[in-house]
Every structure is written in C-alpha cells, then in structure tokens.
Amino acid sequence: MLRITCPHCGARDELEFSYRGDATVTRPGPDADAGAFHDYLYLRRNPRGWQVEWWQHNGGCRAFLKVLRHTVTHEVRAVAAATETLEVPGA
Amino acid sequence: MSQRFRLPAGGHVDRSRRLAFTFDGRRFEGHEGDTLAAALLANGVRLVGRSFKYHRPRGIFSAGVEEPNALVELRDGTRREPNTRATVVELFDGLAATSQNHRGSLAFDWMAVNGVLAPWIGAGFYYKTFMWPAAFWERVYEPMIRKAAGLGRASGQPDPDWYEAAHAHCDVLVVGAGAAGLAAARAAGATGARVILAEQDFLFGGDLLNEPELEPWRGEAIAALQAMPEVTLLPRTTVFGFYDQGVLGAVERVADHLPQPPTHTPRQRYWTIRAKEVVLATGAHERLIAFPGNDRPGVMLAGAARTYARRFGVKAGETAVLFATHDAAYDAAFALAEAGTRIAAIIDPRADSAAMQRARQAGFTVQAGSVVTGTVGGNALRGVETGVAGSGGRANAVAADLLLVSGGWNPAVHLASMSGAALAWDEALLAFVPAAAVQRERSAGACRGVHGIGAAAADGAAAGRAAAIAAGFAPAADVLPPDTPAPDHRPYELWEVKGRGKAFVDIQDDVTADDIRLAHREGFSHIEHAKRYTTHAMGTDQGKTGGLVGAAVLAEARREPVAKVGLPRFRPYTSPVTWGAIAGGEVGQHFQPVRRTALHGVHEALGAVWMDAGLWKRPAYYANPGDADAWASVLREARAVRERVGVCDVSTLGKIVVEGPDAATFLDRVYANTFSTLQVGRARYGLMLREDGLVFDDGTTTRLAPDRFFVTTTTAQAGPVMQHLEFHHASAWPDLDVSLASVTDQWAAMSIAGPKARDVVAAVVQGIDLSNAAFPFMAVADCMAAGVPARVFRISFSGELAYEVAVPAGYAATVWQAVMTAGVPHGIEPYGVEALGLLRIEKGHVAGAEINGQTTAQDLGLGRMLKKKGDFIGRTLAQRPGLTDPARPRLVGLRSVDPARQIRAGSHLLVDGRSQGWITSVTQSVVDPGWIGLGMLREGEARIGSSIIAANPLMGEEVPVKVVSPHGYDAENLRVRA
Amino acid sequence: MAGYSGFRVLTEGLRGNTGWKPAWRKATPKPAYDVIVVGGGGHGLATAFYLASVHGIANVAVLERGLIGQGNTGRNTTIVRSNYLLPENNNFYEHSLKLWEGLEQSLNYNVMMSQRGVINLFHSDAQKHAALRRGNSMRLNGIDAEILDPAGVKAMCPIIDVDNGRYPVLGGLLQRRGGTARHDAVAWGFAHAADARGVDIIEQCEVTGMIVEGGAIRGVRTTRGEIRAPKVGLAVAGSTSTLTAMAGFDVPIETHLLQAFVSEGLKPLIDCVVTFGAGHFYVSQSDKGGLVYGGGLDGYPSYGQRGTLPTAEHVYAAGISMIPALGRLRGLRSWAGVMDMTPDGSHYICKTPVHGLYMTAGWCYGGFKATPGSGWCHAWTIAKDEPHRLNAAHTLDRFREGRMLDERGNGPYFWAH
C-alpha cells in the first residue's frame, strides 16, 4: 500500500489517489507540430528509479499533485503542488 | 473413546471442559485449549492424511502453521474448508473434520500405487511425455492428472458467513507474542506509544507456553499489556504480508474457534495496519532432516512433540527416538520423558555435546556419531533404523512409535524479506537471518536467530524500546526479562541421510532429495528453477520445514555452499488467507455501491424495470400492465414522445460548473468547438476530443454568466471528463483563472419531450415566456417550477420539441409530480433509457456505442464542428493520416430490408463477403416500423441507398440491411425548433 | 541429445533416472554471432527457436541477465487465447494459438497446452454488443468463437452465480480453443528445442550497452564481455525502455505492475478460464489444483514485482461476486509482474530507429499467449529485415501515423488498457 502525503490533506492511502502519468512531460504550446505532441503523449523515459509523477487526490481534495516516487522501491520522497517543481535525485 | 495419550495434569488445556468432535466420522473428545491435532494425538490418532502425489500415509508432523501433512476438510456442508491445518485449528464442541486426498479409505488409499510408479513419475516427468497423440492430452492424460492432483474438496457452495474489514494506525506493530514479542510490546507500550500486538495463535506466549516455571512471567506480561490503554492485543491474528511504507495486512479469526459465528459477528476480520515502526517477533520453524521414510506417521518435529507434551498435556507416542543435530532439541526428550514417554534412543551425528552428557546422566541411550537411516512401519511408525554417520550402512533397529526430528531452526524471516530486507547466512545456525532493514522494521528473538526465552525476551524488549523511540516516544523504564538458560541451537550440518527409499525435502508435495538432484542433472540448478521443476516448497506450507533442506541438497549437488544457493523469494502470504476475509463486505449485491437518482422512488412506484448504467440504476422502461413484453413498453413510451409528450429522468448526466475570468478560454481549449462566442442564456452542443484526436465525450454546455458555464457530460464519462478537465487545468494551463466543480448530484434533471412539451412545461414553470420567439431552441433560463427554483434548458436528444428542467435534487419528486399532473391532459408518459435510445437512434444522435473511444469526429459525421482556429485538446493529433484516412468507417443509418427481421448491435456489415464495418446501435422504430440501427461502415456515405448484409455468425444470422442516412428523422430539425 | 518420450521416461526410470542430461547447455558466449537475442524469457527463446528452425539461422545467442524464464514467463497466469476484436490482433494471436496447438510436437517438450475454453462474461447490453462485435470479428477471420447465454455459462462453469450478483450475468463469449499452458515449461521447452538446434543460451549475462555505429547495431556489451552481431533482437519485457535508451531512443512504453494469485490446491472445481465483466477478475485452475487468478493493474509504474492490498481486495471481492463458493477457500501466494504497457494496449514486433535492431515488446499483460507467435514474427522480421504481414501494423511508428490498435478504445493512457 502506497501512502502519499497530500500537502492539503495529510498522509493518505493510495486508494484515495489515482496515478495520472509522467509529470516531466509538458503539453506543447499551440504552435507545436504533430511530432511534439506525439512525443508528449506517447514517448516515455520510463525510468527504473526515481520518477516525478502526476497523482490526483481524487478521493480527497481533488488536487493534482506532483509526486517523486521510486519505481522499484515505491518510496515516495516528495509531494508538491502542481505548479511546483520536483527534482529527480541525481538527475 | 478415552484420551489415552492425555497426561493427567499440566499444560494449557482445561480438562474440565470436554469437547466432542469427529474425525472421518469417528467420535472423539478433547479439551478446551486443544488444537485439533492435539486432540487427535490425545486419542492416539496417528494417520491423518495422504500425501499429494504418492498418496503416502501421513501423520501430524508439527504443532503449528508449518504443518505439511495434517490437512483436513474442516466442518461440512457449505462451511467445508479444505486443506485446513489440524495443528492450528482450535478445538470446539461439535467440530467435524475429514481426511482428504485419498480414494478408498484413509487407511487403504488405492492411489498409493503411485508410490510404486515413483521411478517414472518423479520431478518433471510430465514435461517429457504425454505428447502423443496430441489430442490425448486434454482427453486422457490431463483429466487423469487433474483428478489425482489437488488436495481437499471445496464445498462448491456460497459461504454462509461474512467478513469485515478494519483499519488501524499505530506507532509500533509487534508481530508475534512469544517471549520476544511480549517483551517488545511491553517495552514499546511503556513509552505511551500506540502498540498493536498481533499473534496468530489463540494464546499469547509462543514457546513460553511450554515452560511452566515461566508462567508467572507470561501472565504478568499479558496483564501489564492489558492494562495499557494504548495497547491493542490481537490474538488469532495472522499478519500475512508486509507491504510498502509500513502497511501490513492481517487476518483475525474472530469466530473460527466456534461452531459458527454468533449473530452479528463476522467469521474473520481483515486488518490493514499502517505502522510507523514494526517489530517482527515471528519466531522460528524447526526443520526436518531428509532420510528415507522421514514422512511416516509417527515422525514428528522434536519441538512439536515437546509442545504437545508441555502445552497440551499430550504425549505423542509411547516410545520415542530423538534424531537431533543440536543441543536444544534434547529438551524434547526431557519433556517427553517427563510426560512418560520412553526415550528408546537419542541419535546424534555429533561426537559429543553438553546436552548429550546431560542425556546420558538422565539415563538415556545416546548414540553419538549416528544417524537415522530409515523407518519401519506401515500407516504408523514401528521402528527406526540407525547407522553410523557417514557410513551409509544400517547398524541398528530401534522399536519406537515416535521419531522426533530436529535438523535445526529456520528463523521465520518471511515478513522481513517481504519488507525488502535481504537475507544473510548465519554460519552458526546454518540458516538465513534478516540483513539490514529497508523499511522501518526490526526483527527480534528467534526470527533473527536469538534463541532461548531469556535472550529472546531481552532482544524483544530492546527492539520494542528502540521502535517506540524511533516513533517519537521517550524511553521508559525496562522490565527485566526472565532469567533462563539458553539452550544451544547451533546445529551440526546434516541435511540429508542418503539411503534406499524416499527421503523427502517437501513432505506435502512429495519432493524427494533425489528429485532435487534430478533437477540439477537436467540443468535446473538454480534454486528458482529447481523449485519450479520439482514443485519444491510450493505446497500450502510453502516449505517452512523443508525448504532450506531442499536448497542444501541442491547446494551439495552443485558443490556450492547453501548460502550461495539461497532461497526462493518470499512473497505474501506468510500463511494462506481466506478469500472472504480479503474481500470483506464488498461482495455480491454490495460488490459496488448503487447510485440512485433523486427520482428513484418515483420510478419504482411507476413500475420501472431497472438497468445498470455504471453504478447507476436507471429505468430501462416502465412495465405497464397492458404491455405484452418489454418492446411493447418501449414502443409505447417512444410513441408517446413522438406523438404527445413524455418525461424522462436525465439526472445521471454529468454536470460541471466552470467558473472564473478564464472560463470561456478554458472551454475553448478543452472543446473542439468554440464556447467563447456563446451568449449568456444560451446552450451549445459541445464535442470533446482526447489529446490523441479521438472523440472523448459530448454534451451541451450553457453560458450562465460571462464567467460561468454549466457543462454537461454523458452519464458514463461524468467522472473521466471531470478528471480530464482538472488534469489539463493543473498540468497544461495552470495560468488560467478558472475553477471546476462537479454538481451532478446537486441537480436532478428531467427531460420533457414531444409536441406537447411546451404546454406541459408552461403549466409547471413560472417567470418565463416559453414562446418560440422568447425562448428558442438552445435557450436557457432560471425560473421557478412547481414553486421551487429551477433552470429550464430548451435542448433535445429525442428530436422532438423538448425542455430539460433541472431542480435542486431534493425537490425532484415534487417537480416530477407537477410535470406528470400537468401532462395528464396531454397523455404524458414517463419514458426510460430504452425509449430514449430508440428516439436518439431514429434521430441519428450518437451515444456511447458510437463514441466508443475508437471514432473520430469525422467518423461520426461531426467533423465540421472542429474549429479551424486556436488550440484545443486533440487538434493536432487528430490530423494524423491514420485518423483522416477516407477509408475509415463512417456513421450510417441502417434499416432491415424485411422490417420483421431483427438486426443486432455487434453484427458486422459485409460487402462482397468482407467485413466493412459493424452495427453499433439497434432499435425498432416507431416512426417507420421495423428494425433500424446505426453503424460504422467504410465508404459509408457512398453506400447510402445500397443493400448489404448484417452478419452475426455467432448466432447464425445474415440479415439484408439497407444503408440510409443516419439523420432520417426530421433532417431539417423542424420539430426541435417548433 | 536424445529426445523426450514416454519410452525414454520408462527406460530412464529403470536406470534410476541417472541418464538425463541438462535440458539445455550452459553455453559460454562466443565473440560474435549472426543474431543476438537479448532476453531469455519465452519470447526471446521462441525467437531463437524460430530463427533456427524456420529461417536456418542457428548461429544465435540468447543473452539472459538472470535465469531463463524468470521474468513474466515465470509469473503469469498461463492463459492462451486469440479472442481479439481487431483483425491485426486476432490474426496474429490466432497464428500464435495455432503454434501453441502443435508446440509439444515441435519442441519435443510437454508444455501442457490445455484447451479448456476461455469465457469472457458480459453483464449489460452494451457489453454484450461489444462481445458480439468481437466474436463476429473472430468468426469472420476464421477463429472459433461462441456466444453463451446464462445457461450456457452455467453449463461450462456451474459454480458461477449468474443471477444474484450486483451485475447479473447476461452471457459470455467463449473461445473453446483457448485455455492454459504450463508457463515455466514454455521457456524450458523453447530453450531445450533451440539448444538442440545449436542456439547458445547464455544465462547470467546482462547487457550493459548497445554498440551502435553509423545508425546501425554492431553488437552489445555485456557483463561477460562484448559480443558482436549485425542483428540484435530485444525481447526484454520490463527492460525495454532501459535497453532502447542505451541504443539512443525512447519508446511508447510505461512499465506497470500486475498482481496474480494462486490458491491452495483443490480437487477440480473450475474447468475453464473465466473472466468477470463487471470488475477486474479472472480465474482458472491449474493441473496441480491451485486456482490461478488475478485482476487489473495496480495503476502506477513499477519495476518492483510487488503489489499492494487495494488491488488484491478488488480481485478477491470480484471473485466472490462472480463465484460465491470461493469465499471459504484460501489464497496461498501472491506475486506481481512487470508489464510494459503501451498507449493503445497492443504490442510491438518491429524494426527500430537503429538499423539491425529489432524488438518484440510492449506486451502489456497479454504476452504469455503470444509467446510462440511473438517469437515466430520476431524471427521473421529479423531474418528478412522486414515485418511479416501478421506484425506489419505493430510498429512503434503507428502513433505518429495515427494508426492505433486500441481494442477497447481506452485511449492514450498507459494504465488504461
């Protein structure tokens, strides 16, 4: 069971949250071409290690959060608001 | 039958409480405090089961969860539980158990012939044969194997009992309530920390239960824990898994020790425990030694026999031989001698030891430097063959009905391993112990190789204290552990005595040392391969007694140390867990919650036949007494809408308020069409794409104020659309000043549709001019309806003049009633989802069957809605060649050439025998009777007017259909604008 | 090496089973091969087998980081079927199923392919229509499929509760030729047969780098030295992203975890494979007697091979809702595999941006049944440097072109398939 500490609500079980993708990709601007949108939507680094991810606290405050999580150990090291930036350790 | 092997005194059974039970139909008695195994032994029952493959006779081997043999079908009828370990079943009055996995009687199982076939049905034999002829596998070989395999029989009936889920948070979870666990819980509890102490046994104490002189310490420890308000004691609770971030799963057997659960009591309770710190005090499992005949009834782990004598007051045999490789095992001989069992011999491969000398002083015959080479007997042990260690020859035969075996102890490292900790080889104990912790856990006592009650208690106390401090509590005064001598658990390295006959390393799955060597010979030399090839340690006991022995046999074959060979990875569950417990209450009718609209009761009173729409219950149709069948109801309702007026509950549609200075900009970006140009008080049909350019959802959106919109979604996509909007607001355009609120449940909505809709709505609402000029198609206004605040939308899904009246959910029934009353003069009828579907198919409106995640706006004939200017979700990727390919199937209307011949959604549309599309939605028509539908068809527009085949080979149907425009009904939209 | 047969089992048994030899050689790497296959799971071993047996390319090394068959081949729920909607998928899986049907004989190894039938239950009209569309697509492509009413479902599996659940069963889509196979044996069988044809199977040999020169693959660096080959095929579920990153490109894959479970052994209770349509649950019973069951993804990326409780709770609840008689039985073991999820739920067997580098990847949680078909098509693609028509659509580029193979229309979300 993952436990994620929502900055608004506190530590909660994973079942209150839903994962919503790699948070290191950003939607291209209005003038971007199909290639940029392809990369945004489809290509993933898919690291074996730390990853910054989108999780929505949909069973709570509904905020979209950035979560720094390890994809092998599942350790959650940091949780931040959507507008904040999380650095991947060692990256 | 008397309890012939029950001692007159001692132990933790209440001899004044006599409990009757049956085994294989024979009646016995035991006492409160017994396990089924203890009670069977007390009555001299030795043969309790048959092995998995060779159907060899098997007896009680252990006194705990590690039991490989004594698996029974417990209870009967709908409560039958196959594979239940007699060694952990708490005896209750009226208990009924049956032996399993035999054909014929337990004593004479004709499947035992498999033992003779052993040379040909050893490990992995089935991979090398049964291949010819190919068809024989399913028809002949496999059914034979399936029938012979398996263990107990499931009841095949629904479980009459119920289960519940419970959640707990604590500072320190202590798993196991032996000396280490009790001391840990006490030390942690003394700091004021919230402590949970979980013990799988029904009594706390572990090995303390075998030490009468330490009973005061045990009693005092339990009393102290009971007195601590922040300590929760959970007996009969198995912690089955250690998951991420300090979360552990446990099952509490609330009522398994009773004939059946009392009223309002669950059978078991499933705990999810979130612990800041965990102390694992799970003890150790004694391990077997592989020697020929090491599985015969009467062969028992030494510690188990000691437990039966000391804790249960039962002697497991009259004459015993002890086969031990370490001093601690001698305690069993002393305990049994005390109980009146004659110790015929002690067989020990070592030359000398302190325990050996004590045993000799006590008058026991000790054969130093010797090993057990075989066993004699049939369904029960009659004698033990011994020989000189390392010689291989047979020296002696000793008559005995009990052979006590101890090859050492394996720390129960399962939970530590599941938590992520690596395992380290302890050369002294010849066993794996937990290495550095990964999560916030620590092991204490025998589960990390600290043996002896005093030492384990001290270790536990230190761990409990450290855990509480780590959880943020101040240390409290220590309670001294009992001062006891620590028996020496360091074994002589002896895993196997080679000789003629089967020497088992996995007693349950009938895996022999030879099987392990065969696996090695065939290249399955890694422990993971060997395990899978031989099924070693894959039984219900998961190799708790023999797993490491098999690894050691493999190590010898590989000429490598056991430490290098290692063990397979530990995974949940530490012990098998009941399905019902994990499922909890969310089964059957409660599998998922039911969502009911505010009008549910109204529909019920009207005779609604329900259908599931996701979690929602919606009226499919209303069965009137005069309706011949379901279709009659649906057609009647639809006809009312087309000819007069109908009312339909559309409350399940998703409703989202989008508000803020940037609301219009936001909607322009999430919708494929434009909303910034929408006037206040007007609605517009909107189409939403996914970023990949495929259609996501549709609905009408209203501008309530310059900065305030009311978005509606389909019922199915209400949640996903909300999340989609929130995601893009958070991730793509956090700069937009807009807020989103789902109001689906706040508003009830009903659609009043049909030529007479205006008359009906006008009679219900106040403060609004409904004339076509004042309130045209797509107009929206706030007003009062039946005396309550309401909002009226002039929108239509049916293709008729229609109004949607939305009111706060609490007023829904009142307003519905007012609508129905106002509709009486016009012949109003309520209509359900089926009629709604009929009407929209006639009209050619798309719904979930067409917006199925595989279609583009162009496919659905909605391509012109995509705005040419400005960014919106899906704009760019919708232009990819595969999505703009003119060869893609397009939406068409379909009509069965013979109006009486039914067509079906899911049929394929064949042109020249090849599938060119499929039917998405089907109905009977009321405007032009016969079967009609919508479908997706390649070159759809070009084929309009042609006849093709709707093929449904699954049901043997081929129906000629005519391709027509999907918008056949009132193509000019005169009716909706009337 | 002498083949396996009932006769051989008989004679070896008489000789104390001392004559058996390793099922495959423990090969040591040569400096160069014609083809290197990275990954000693079912797909990689099958690729090597078909390279040798169909294309006559036997100078092949299979490089495995750990042990063969210890990835998803060793931790799946053993289901084999070809009941797909899209012709690109159902034709591929049907080819694979046909290979399964003759696999024992081609490999001289009993993989216990057992055509017990696979039923997908449906619980609403919408699900029924989707099942009809899919089943009819199968039938029109020459694949067996049947539609069952509730009584038909009961006849196949009497302990299913068709009436009383939250979502009553309206029927099921049955593929009788679907079933199960003994998962470990598939790896061992392909290894045995590939080895017999001269393929080097090299365990404990981890690829640490890809040698790419001028846009073309030249070989790989491994923990056992550099090995060169003009062609390299990747069959490395769970490590695809890592290896393609070494070769210099990202792929549309996100690696998720999927849990699976086995119960205690039981006498025969469930004769076919059944999937629940109102929740994530499926079950079959192994020849050993254990019920093998699972559900959906936990829902977040993971290489941990470790699941958590909420998903398990759903699996157990859905199981009992479908078959109330499961309530009193006991789960014995749970585990998790790593699933290379793609944005449309379909796989890749294709060339890559690096010349001479090929891959079979992105199998989501359907890779086991694909094992022979994947190996067959991958081998073809490697041997001919162009895809077979059965895998022509399964490219990495299909997303650039907008030609997704999305069976259920779940959209470009890795976790949604």
Side-chain angles (χ1 to χ4, degrees), chain B residues 155-171:
Chain B
S155 77
Q157 302 292 317
D159 182 356
D161 295 331
W162 61 280
Y163 303 82
E164 72 180 16
H167 294 264
H169 296 255
C170 63
D171 298 306

Side-chain angles (χ1 to χ4, degrees), chain B residues 84 100 329:
Chain B
T84 304
Q100 56 185 40

